[in-house]
Amino acid sequence: MRSICRFVRHLDDEKSEIMAKKERNSFSGSMGFVLAAAGSAVGLGNIWRFPYLAARDGGGLFLLIYIVLAVTFGFTLLITEVAIGRRSQQGPLTAYGYFHKKWAFLGWFSFIVPYIIYPYYCVIGGWVLKYFATYLSFNGKEAVADGFFTGFITSQWEPIILTAIFAIMCFYIVYRGVEKGIEKYSRIIMPALVIMVVFICGYSMFISHTDANGVTRTGLDGAAVYFLPNFEGLTLRRFLMIALDAMGQLFYSLSIAMGIMVAYGSYMKRSVNLGQAVDRIEIFDTLIAVLAGLMIIPAVYVFMGTEGMKAGPGLMFIALPNVFDSLGVFGTVIGMVFFLMVLFAAITSAVSILEAIVASVKDKFGWTRKKSVLIMAGTGFIWSVVVCLGYNIWYFEYPLPNGAIGQILDIFDYVSNNVLMPVLAILTCILIGWVVSPRLLVGEMRLNGYKFTRKGLYFVMLKFVVPVMLTVLLLTAFIQF
Ligand code: PHE
């Protein structure tokens, strides 16, 4: 029996070797792929979203749930997408049709999602640039003034100009290509980002402050609040809410269901150990998210107590500048380093999302890279301008199903993240888990004799657990619990 299995596996490996067309443009090796993919995964999600969710959702408890989900749920989806890319050697738009003609429509989801996200991600990149420039010119005081953020996003030209600068940087990197652009810049940006994160974390641990009531709080107290699970008032309902938050966050943070990992997978050399590379991306992404929490939560706790931690989405753009302000001159320097780091994180993510749409049209229509980047980045920028105008001349208030009031940016975000992405991921699980066979992708992972030890877990997750969990997540987009 064993030898039959081995023989079948051998055939499978052989088939996939033959089916691989001559190697396309690719990352130079495992390290290049991991840094570029980690560059995609580490973005505003890690630095802006993760800390406020963790602060809101009971610190350590959220962390614990997040890590368990990362090694089960995240691992399954990430492996699947990267393997789809490498196996098909196609951009997201054509990759799904490679597995089953009738399922080729999934490619369109995988094209539309990043095409919706890219324009508004550039707008947020422009906001980060604004904060960086403010600290760079030693005007950190301005950032804490009431209405600084709103005043800026509602102004007519400034957000558009800054978005354009951000978009040009992304355009240039993607235009240069996979190895000479994306990989090259990820190799510089990612180590720099890690150094900055560790530096700010270290600083954040050692600050202390005595408030008007004479209570002294230190960074270390804040770290304890962050890491120690808070079970106070925990009900089943709250537990489920936290789990859903963690799942949604993980999904976004790993750049899953955005076509990105399919595109990057298609540039991964067949000699690279796919399973190991995916593990590294996950560890990198989770580590940076946890460290981002450690750099922000203690600092906010020291100056504003547990109340400050409830700042929600405003944690980074509003609460944090207040912290920098309280730190005096040194705060300006920390603010500068901090927003440069956020800018780096945002650029590598925006680059990956632009590459996903570029790879799609390149493979579908046979366009050159030059033409693909020009058309995708060009039309994307028009949408970015529409998003910017959504805060002034086209301002409206649209109530979203989750209770939030949205403008154009929020609508783009809601449709892609809460609706299209879960649908794409559920259908991907069905396609690979049931219609084709997960064995096909396992064969891809075992190329060159690499081991895939968590095969059993992968099968169960892909066929049953992940689609069910994602369906619950999708339902929450329409129903309020
Ligand atoms: N993983 C990214 C983040 O955490 C998500 C993302 C990637 C969003 C690429 C847009 C583009 O920010």
Side-chain angles (χ1 to χ4, degrees), residues 20-77:
K21 304 196 192 90
K22 78 175 186 351
E23 284 207 337
R24 60 204 234 127
N25 223 333
S26 65
F27 292 114
S28 64
S30 176
M31 187 70 168
F33 169 80
V34 170
L35 283 179
S40 169
V42 174
L44 294 165
N46 302 57
I47 298 165
W48 160 73
R49 205 161 176 268
F50 185 91
Y52 87 70
L53 286 179
R56 192 180 72 186
D57 285 349
L61 182 61
F62 177 84
L63 283 183
L64 208 66
I65 298 177
Y66 186 88
I67 290 170
V68 171
L69 285 175
V71 293
T72 50
F73 173 87
F75 142 88
T76 306
L77 285 167

Side-chain angles (χ1 to χ4, degrees), residues 37-49 114 117-118 120-121 249-256 258 260-261 285 345-346 348-354 417 421:
S40 169
V42 174
L44 294 165
N46 302 57
I47 298 165
W48 160 73
R49 205 161 176 268
I117 297 178
Y118 174 69
Y120 79 77
Y121 207 79
Q249 170 61 17
L250 181 70
F251 195 58
Y252 183 78
S253 188
L254 287 174
S255 302
I256 288 165
M258 299 183 182
I260 296 172
M261 291 302 167
D285 185 61
T348 46
S349 294
V351 157
S352 70
I353 207 136
L354 178 58
N417 285 293
M421 283 164 57

Side-chain angles (χ1 to χ4, degrees), residues 57-270:
D57 285 349
L61 182 61
F62 177 84
L63 283 183
L64 208 66
I65 298 177
Y66 186 88
I67 290 170
V68 171
L69 285 175
V71 293
T72 50
F73 173 87
F75 142 88
T76 306
L77 285 167
L78 199 55
I79 280 222
T80 306
E81 290 205 1
V82 176
I84 286 179
R86 190 169 78 172
R87 174 86 185 192
S88 66
Q89 295 283 297
Q90 289 292 315
L93 181 50
T94 40
Y96 295 86
Y98 165 92
F99 292 95
H100 199 291
K101 284 231 153 38
K102 285 209 177 112
W103 287 69
F105 70 93
L106 267 192
W108 284 101
F109 271 88
S110 204
F111 171 72
I112 289 166
V113 169
Y115 192 73
I116 296 178
I117 297 178
Y118 174 69
Y120 79 77
Y121 207 79
C122 284
V123 173
I124 301 177
W127 298 353
V128 175
L129 256 180
K130 168 75 181 175
Y131 275 77
F132 174 57
T134 306
Y135 281 93
L136 195 64
S137 52
F138 287 90
N139 285 326
K141 270 248 165 299
E142 278 178 15
V144 289
D146 267 353
F148 172 80
F149 180 65
T150 325
F152 161 64
I153 64 168
T154 52
S155 63
Q156 198 161 349
W157 287 106
E158 213 187 348
I160 297 181
I161 294 167
L162 290 171
T163 301
I165 297 174
F166 183 85
I168 289 170
M169 294 195 272
C170 300
F171 170 85
Y172 175 75
I173 296 176
V174 175
Y175 188 83
R176 298 279 296 145
V178 178
E179 201 184 334
K180 293 205 190 83
I182 301 173
E183 177 173 337
K184 181 175 152 198
Y185 289 95
S186 302
R187 279 181 186 271
I188 303 168
I189 290 178
M190 295 315 284
L193 186 142
V194 173
I195 293 170
M196 288 189 268
V197 170
V198 171
F199 168 73
I200 302 174
C201 272
Y203 184 78
S204 182
M205 287 302 86
F206 295 106
I207 47 179
S208 73
H209 176 71
T210 307
D211 65 15
N213 307 325
V215 183
T216 303
R217 283 184 298 263
T218 67
L220 285 175
D221 297 336
V225 174
Y226 175 42
F227 281 126
L228 298 177
N230 179 2
F231 292 109
E232 224 180 87
L234 185 70
T235 55
L236 181 65
R237 184 167 176 273
R238 182 158 156 72
F239 179 82
L240 287 176
M241 297 281 280
I242 297 177
L244 275 172
D245 269 353
M247 185 161 68
Q249 170 61 17
L250 181 70
F251 195 58
Y252 183 78
S253 188
L254 287 174
S255 302
I256 288 165
M258 299 183 182
I260 296 172
M261 291 302 167
V262 175
Y264 278 17
S266 78
Y267 301 136
M268 181 201 255
K269 286 211 163 97
R270 304 186 85 82

